[in-house]
Amino acid sequence: MTSNGIVLLSGPPCSGKTTAGAVLAAERSSPGHGRIHLEVDTLFDLLFPGSDRNRDDRLRAYDGTHLLARMFVDHGETVVLECTYARRDQRASLLKALAGSSASLWVVEFFVTPEEAVSRFRERHQATDLDEALVRERADAFPYFDEALRLESSAGTPEEHAQSIITWLQQSPRPVDQEAWTRAGRGWN
C-alpha cells in the first residue's frame, strides 16, 4: 500500500467505518510498518470527556485529530483517519491541517441504507448523542463524493472491506481533489 498519505474512512453513523478501519490499520503495509488508525470520536472522548458534544467541541476534536494525522504523515506514515466527515467544516479542518503538505488523500465512503443503519444502532451498547431518528436522517442525507471509493457496508465483512481498500490502494488510485471534496460536504443546519 502507498505511504505518506491519508486513507479517510467516512460515511453515516453505523456504516462500518470503525470496524473496517481497525482491520485495515492492523494489516501490515510493509514488514515492521503498520498504519496509524485515528478515530475522531475516540480522541473526542479523551479530549472532552464531559462534553455535551456541541459543535465547537466537535470541531476542536477534528482539528486536534487532523494535526496529529499531519504529524504522522510528515514522518512518512500512512494514516487511516476515520469519522463521519459529512460536514463541510469538518472537511475544511483536514485541508487546513494538510496545507503545504504533499500528502495524498484517498477517501473511502461506506454506504448504508437508513434501515440498516438503524438496525445496527439498536445493537450498539455505547453512550452516544444519537437516536434512531438522527441515525436514519444522517444515513439518508449523507453527501457522498464521486471521486471516493464507495463500499456497501452490508455487502461484506470488515475484513473483506479492508481487503477491498488495500487492493484499491495497490492500484495507485488518483487522490481526491481536496477542495472539491470539502465543498461537497453539508453545511450546518
Side-chain angles (χ1 to χ4, degrees):
M1 186 169 113
T2 190
S3 63
N4 193 28
I6 294 176
V7 179
L8 188 133
L9 308 181
S10 71
C14 303
S15 61
K17 303 176 299 289
T18 301
T19 50
V23 173
L24 180 64
E27 293 290 325
R28 296 287 176 208
S29 53
S30 62
H33 297 283
R35 295 177 192 93
I36 307 297
H37 183 205
L38 298 177
E39 298 173 76
V40 175
D41 287 343
T42 298
L43 289 169
F44 181 97
D45 291 339
L46 290 171
L47 294 169
F48 306 105
S51 175
D52 62 358
R53 302 187 81 77
N54 63 72
R55 179 182 176 199
D56 290 339
D57 285 353
R58 284 177 190 267
L59 288 175
R60 290 190 302 167
Y62 273 92
D63 289 346
T65 304
H66 297 154
L67 291 173
L68 189 57
R70 169 69 186 259
M71 180 191 72
F72 285 119
V73 166
D74 285 351
H75 285 90
E77 298 287 347
T78 298
V79 176
V80 177
L81 187 57
E82 180 260 308
C83 204
T84 305
Y85 286 98
R87 304 288 184 188
R88 197 172 303 121
D89 289 353
Q90 297 161 344
R91 296 176 182 199
S93 169
L94 180 58
L95 262 61
K96 182 179 177 184
L98 291 177
S101 171
S102 62
S104 295
L105 176 63
W106 300 278
V107 176
V108 179
E109 294 175 335
F110 286 78
F111 171 81
V112 65
T113 65
E115 294 75 23
E116 179 69 19
V118 168
S119 175
R120 291 176 180 188
F121 178 76
R122 289 177 183 148
E123 295 173 6
R124 283 189 171 180
H125 302 288
Q126 64 189 45
T128 182
D129 59 332
L130 297 173
D131 60 28
E132 289 182 19
L134 282 173
V135 169
R136 181 177 301 284
E137 181 273 328
R138 291 179 182 176
D140 188 48
F142 188 82
Y144 292 99
F145 187 63
D146 289 339
E147 292 181 35
L149 171 65
R150 184 135 345 121
L151 299 175
E152 187 170 336
S153 64
S154 64
T157 65
E159 293 78 14
E160 291 168 332
H161 291 311
Q163 187 56 56
S164 293
I165 295 167
I166 290 168
T167 300
W168 177 67
L169 291 168
Q170 287 172 339
Q171 297 168 0
S172 300
R174 186 174 57 118
V176 299
D177 176 329
Q178 295 176 12
E179 293 290 335
W181 174 72
T182 299
R183 285 190 307 272
R186 295 174 56 201
W188 288 91
N189 298 334

